Amino acid sequence: MKPREIRPGVSWVGAVDWDRRLFDALIPLPDGTSYNSYLVKGSEKTALIDAVDPSMRHVLLDNLAHLGCQCIDYVIANHGEQDHSGSIPDVLARFPNAEVLASPRCKAMLVDLLMIPEAKIRAVSDGETLALGDRTLQFVHAPWVHWPDTMLTYLREERILFPCDLFGSHLATTDLYVTDEGQVHEAAKRYYAEIMMPFRNHIERHLARLKEYPMDVIAPSHGPLYDRPAFIVEKYRGWVFDKPGNKVVLPYISMHGSTQRMVEHFVDALAHRGVTVQQFNLTVTDIGKLAMALVDAATLVIGTPTVIVGPHPNVAYAALLANALRPKLQFVSIIGSYGWGSKAVEQLSGMIPNLKVEVLGPVIARGFPREVDLQAVEALAETIAQKHRERGFV
Ligand code: FEO
């Protein structure tokens, strides 16, 4: 896609990746993504804010040529991850006089990851400003959203924030700005769940600090721009600060129907008690959907059969994922079955040390669940519903 003007002299020059379906060899991208790069021309100097994934370097360079860009004085690297920094060496090859500006941590990463000569990079401090003539950029260090190197760049005169990954969404679209808030809410929540949720405490701090920066536009490095910044800022506030909801997330596997029978009984028992359940059969689940469900769930219940004494490997993967994402869960339990012996509960419990939760008694059936097992499942549902009521989860 050709460059898009945001304000006179301020242009989107990035790349839309419609076909990418996996990020970090881990995260599903059902709607593709974009790598947003921005050219800011001042009366004296020109800056490029972030680059693009190296697979799309030609798009960025074509866009700069399309704008007749003869000179770039500064390349602002908000973040060292390669989907934004990976084509900086190509930009430097085309514009050899450009100086790269980055946070001190990002500078080290650009040297280590991309082998950019140290002398080409200047570390900028938190709050430092860069005059482009009639325009001023200000750098705001914002570590851990989601790497330790991240900084945000603020264009003072136009009140545009370039926050790199923060507030982003993996969404390929021809729309420069958000046009369908429902669609972007879904994509941004998925992005938050997969990328940002483990760093909720840091986001809390950064959100407070951003109140000092009035914003007309938020221009992230993935997905469409926000010309109504309150939309995404309020969503983030909700995801970070709100209490969890009256909701159980239930990832499970069943090999021969025993765990399936328990899951069905359990879901029905919770639903009859007014508790929302999102169940995920891990043989077919989009793992991003599971991550999204964890954003505002109060309780995680893991359903597993026993495989060689332990949990099914897919279930172990889901437990490790939940542990890594650190959602605001309050309760965890396990239901499942075994044939001749099981250490599944002990093994799964050891996989979730990051979750600061109350562990509710597991229900594990020997063979196909009998009436006594289903009654135990029913009792677990009652306990969960009661605890949610006591905590005021609605
Ligand atoms: Fe979009 Fe952390 O890179």
Side-chain angles (χ1 to χ4, degrees):
M1 196 146 54
K2 295 284 187 290
R4 315 285 290 272
E5 189 175 76
I6 302 167
R7 297 284 186 272
V10 181
S11 299
W12 176 93
V13 290
V16 179
D17 194 340
W18 294 92
D19 298 329
R20 190 161 180 175
R21 285 293 173 270
L22 202 59
F23 195 82
D24 287 348
L26 173 68
I27 297 168
L29 303 182
D31 302 310
T33 191
S34 66
Y35 317 107
N36 299 335
S37 174
Y38 302 95
L39 191 71
V40 181
K41 288 183 178 176
S43 57
E44 295 173 15
K45 302 284 186 183
T46 296
L48 182 73
I49 300 177
D50 289 323
V52 301
D53 190 87
S55 62
M56 305 201 91
R57 54 171 67 88
H58 59 289
V59 178
L60 171 61
L61 295 175
D62 285 354
N63 279 342
L64 294 173
H66 187 87
L67 286 178
C69 188
Q70 300 293 323
C71 172
I72 288 178
D73 300 285
Y74 306 107
V75 176
I76 315 298
N78 279 326
H79 174 35
E81 194 166 9
Q82 289 88 335
D83 54 322
H84 310 292
S85 68
S87 56
I88 288 178
D90 303 280
V91 174
L92 294 178
R94 176 76 61 88
F95 302 95
N97 294 324
E99 181 181 31
V100 180
L101 304 187
S103 73
R105 294 292 292 271
C106 187
K107 174 176 177 172
M109 286 180 177
L110 296 176
V111 172
D112 290 343
L113 299 176
L114 300 170
M115 289 163 282
I116 296 174
E118 208 171 334
K120 288 293 292 177
I121 311 169
R122 174 155 61 96
V124 295
S125 53
D126 185 28
E128 186 173 331
T129 57
L130 177 72
L132 302 178
D134 57 352
R135 286 186 157 121
T136 315
L137 296 176
Q138 185 164 17
F139 307 116
V140 182
H141 287 193
W144 296 111
V145 287
H146 59 125
W147 278 15
D149 64 326
T150 316
M151 72 177 189
L152 324 178
T153 297
Y154 181 67
L155 175 54
R156 221 181 241 173
E157 289 75 13
E158 273 79 15
R159 305 186 353 154
I160 300 174
L161 182 73
F162 301 93
C164 201
D165 282 337
L166 186 65
F167 304 128
S169 61
H170 282 311
L171 180 62
T173 172
T174 54
D175 296 335
L176 179 63
Y177 293 101
V178 172
T179 53
D180 180 342
E181 289 191 344
Q183 181 194 33
V184 175
H185 172 224
E186 176 90 1
K189 186 176 184 181
R190 174 188 279 266
Y191 190 89
Y192 168 83
E194 293 167 335
I195 309 284
M196 295 292 168
M197 187 158 61
F199 307 102
R200 272 184 294 130
N201 295 342
H202 298 278
I203 295 173
E204 184 177 337
R205 194 158 40 86
H206 300 321
L207 285 176
R209 193 160 172 220
L210 283 178
K211 288 180 181 164
E212 300 166 27
Y213 297 87
M215 292 179 271
D216 292 337
V217 172
I218 292 179
S221 292
H222 296 290
L225 286 63
Y226 303 93
D227 54 2
R228 196 172 77 79
F231 161 67
I232 192 64
V233 172
E234 286 311 309
K235 293 297 177 201
Y236 262 69
R237 285 191 197 291
W239 298 330
V240 171
F241 295 112
D242 284 358
K243 277 187 190 179
N246 180 24
K247 186 169 94 175
V248 170
V249 171
L250 174 50
Y252 75 99
I253 289 279
S254 186
M255 295 192 300
H256 299 292
S258 299
T259 301
Q260 181 75 40
R261 176 77 187 95
M262 297 174 78
V263 164
E264 287 166 1
H265 195 89
F266 183 55
V267 169
D268 198 45
L270 286 166
H272 274 85
R273 288 166 172 81
V275 180
T276 298
V277 188
Q278 283 185 270
Q279 73 176 61
F280 295 93
N281 181 336
L282 293 168
T283 60
V284 294
T285 287
D286 167 352
I287 215 74
K289 287 270 189 191
L290 172 60
M292 284 171 70
L294 289 169
V295 169
D296 43 20
T299 298
L300 172 69
V301 177
I302 301 167
T304 188
T306 299
V307 179
I308 319 174
V309 191
H312 190 287
N314 287 13
V315 173
Y317 174 68
L320 291 171
L321 182 73
N323 184 64
L325 295 179
R326 298 171 183 251
K328 47 191 174 189
L329 292 165
Q330 303 288 303
F331 308 103
V332 165
S333 191
I334 300 165
I335 61 176
S337 60
Y338 68 98
W340 59 89
S342 179
K343 297 266 184 215
V345 169
E346 295 90 325
Q347 291 185 17
L348 282 173
S349 301
M351 293 175 189
I352 51 172
N354 292 342
L355 302 182
K356 306 305 176 201
V357 292
E358 180 182 342
V359 178
L360 307 176
V363 182
I364 306 296
R366 184 161 60 87
F368 197 79
R370 298 169 173 79
E371 187 55 32
V372 65
D373 302 308
L374 298 180
Q375 284 174 7
V377 162
E378 192 95 18
L380 176 61
E382 177 58 29
T383 301
I384 290 169
Q386 192 177 335
K387 286 187 177 288
H388 285 194
R389 277 196 301 274
E390 286 168 4
R391 298 274 178 103
F393 300 154
V394 292

